[in-house]
Amino acid sequence: MAGVTSLNDKAFVKAAAEEERRVDGRPLLGNRQVRVSLLEGGVGAEVRIGHSRCIAHVQAEIVKPSADKRSEGVLQIELHTSAMGDPAYEPNRIPESIKQGRAAVQKALVKSKAVDLESLCVIPGKAVWSVRVEVRVLDNGGNLTDTALLAAAAALKGFKRNDVTTVGDTVKIHSHFDREPLPLTLYALPLSATFGVLDVSKDSETDRTVMISDPSLLEEQVLSSSITVIACTTDQPVLYGILKSGGCAVETSLIQHACSLAVQRSGEMRGVLEGALKARDDSERHKGRKREVLDTLWQPPPSCTVSAGP
């Protein structure tokens, strides 16, 4: 549990890392298994990395755009936890793991403009789609950052919004029976890889650090610093940012090594996500793509009306 890790456990983790071993049997740069499950109906995704588990739900509604972005939709991503999902949870206090996860998700999917917001415009200055992703921590087994970001990315990748048509200022939202729903336009799908830095120095005169990949919850309590690299491998490797926490100094060569490993790791996770998407699509084709009629999502201002499709 965060904050109450015993001295023996900390010493054991450091001693194992010094011998290039880890308490769960992985090599220093070994990663845990990644599993992605897309929720039925394309409304979200559940992601597991080791014992960490996050679920993401997507909702979309038509709203009035802001005055300075009249032709752009809205993308909001939130990350939440609870006492059942995170042992570090305390009322009225945000755990450090959630702060890091929120920063990574915002940098990777919102600030990078991975989603084409202009494609969410219905009527410039009057109606746009607002897409909201809510990520909730179900289990914290360490490395929530990568788990939460992959869950949010998978939810956006698998989400399909209702098609709309406009006549003047009238917006008509078509049901899934009337028209095939449309996927979001994604320019890229940045994912993250997190590495931990352990100080295994024997005394104050020596200075030795060890880097581990995909730290577990126990290892996170012993880390001197952590590095999260956000990367994408769609066409060619692209780095979107590096987030560092902790006061331990990290050598440049170690960061460069982490970046190269992150590119490889993001490609592996993207492959798992694409496999889940293919499985979902095959299942929908097998079931005949049974869909439910969705209610109208937007109550328009008096100057603009909206109706649901048949």
Side-chain angles (χ1 to χ4, degrees):
M1 184 177 294
V4 294
T5 306
S6 68
L7 294 177
N8 286 338
D9 285 342
K10 292 182 179 181
F12 183 61
V13 171
K14 288 187 176 183
E18 188 177 7
E19 297 179 3
E20 297 186 358
R21 300 178 182 179
R22 297 172 72 174
V23 294
D24 56 7
R26 286 182 288 159
L28 293 180
L29 298 178
N31 298 305
R32 295 171 294 179
Q33 183 182 16
V34 178
R35 287 174 288 182
V36 178
S37 302
L38 296 176
L39 304 183
E40 200 168 325
V43 296
E46 180 180 337
V47 170
R48 300 189 182 202
I49 298 181
H51 294 296
S52 293
R53 184 160 62 111
C54 290
I55 189 168
H57 285 93
V58 188
Q59 294 179 330
E61 61 179 350
I62 293 181
V63 300
K64 186 175 181 179
S66 60
D68 58 334
K69 297 181 180 179
R70 296 168 50 85
S71 300
E72 290 187 6
V74 182
L75 175 62
Q76 296 177 311
I77 304 179
E78 300 178 1
L79 175 59
H80 302 285
T81 188
S82 64
M84 295 183 63
D86 192 342
Y89 176 82
E90 295 180 12
N92 302 320
R93 178 182 174 274
I94 303 175
E96 191 63 30
S97 57
I98 297 299
K99 293 180 182 179
Q100 296 175 7
R102 288 177 177 176
V105 169
Q106 290 294 319
K107 193 174 189 64
L109 299 177
V110 180
K111 294 181 180 179
S112 69
K113 298 186 178 180
V115 178
D116 181 11
L117 298 181
E118 291 186 355
S119 66
L120 299 178
C121 179
V122 180
I123 301 177
K126 294 185 177 181
V128 297
W129 283 103
S130 174
V131 179
R132 180 174 178 267
V133 183
E134 182 176 352
V135 184
R136 186 160 294 276
V137 178
L138 301 181
D139 290 299
N140 181 8
N143 195 8
L144 277 183
T145 298
D146 295 358
T147 311
L149 176 53
L150 180 56
L156 288 173
K157 186 71 173 177
F159 178 70
K160 294 183 179 181
R161 64 170 178 82
N162 292 59
D163 195 9
V164 297
T165 54
T166 60
V167 178
D169 289 342
T170 301
V171 180
K172 182 179 181 180
I173 303 177
H174 296 276
S175 71
H176 289 181
F177 282 116
D178 188 19
R179 287 193 180 187
E180 186 73 14
L182 303 175
L184 299 178
T185 302
L186 302 178
Y187 290 126
L189 199 66
L191 300 173
S192 64
T194 298
F195 305 88
V197 179
L198 284 166
D199 184 1
V200 294
S201 304
K202 289 292 186 181
D203 50 55
S204 58
E205 296 181 358
T206 60
D207 184 14
R208 184 189 174 195
T209 57
V210 174
M211 186 172 73
I212 61 175
S213 178
D214 185 19
S216 65
L217 182 60
L218 174 60
E219 291 170 335
E220 285 183 344
Q221 314 311 316
V222 190
L223 296 179
S224 301
S225 183
S226 68
I227 305 170
T228 298
V229 181
I230 302 171
C232 181
T233 57
T234 305
D235 298 320
Q236 59 182 0
V238 178
L239 292 179
Y240 282 81
I242 300 175
L243 303 176
K244 179 185 176 296
S245 64
C248 177
V250 181
E251 296 181 359
T252 304
S253 58
L254 209 61
I255 295 178
Q256 291 176 340
H257 187 37
C259 290
S260 62
L261 292 174
V263 170
Q264 179 181 352
R265 176 66 168 166
S266 65
E268 294 172 355
M269 290 191 290
R270 184 183 180 89
V272 176
L273 171 54
E274 291 178 347
L277 286 168
K278 184 177 184 302
R280 194 275 305 271
D281 293 340
D282 292 343
S283 176
E284 286 187 351
R285 282 194 293 268
H286 180 70
K287 294 179 180 179
R289 294 183 300 184
K290 295 180 180 179
R291 302 183 187 274
E292 298 180 354
V293 177
L294 298 183
D295 295 332
T296 299
L297 299 176
W298 184 52
Q299 296 296 330
S303 60
C304 185
T305 59
V306 60
S307 61

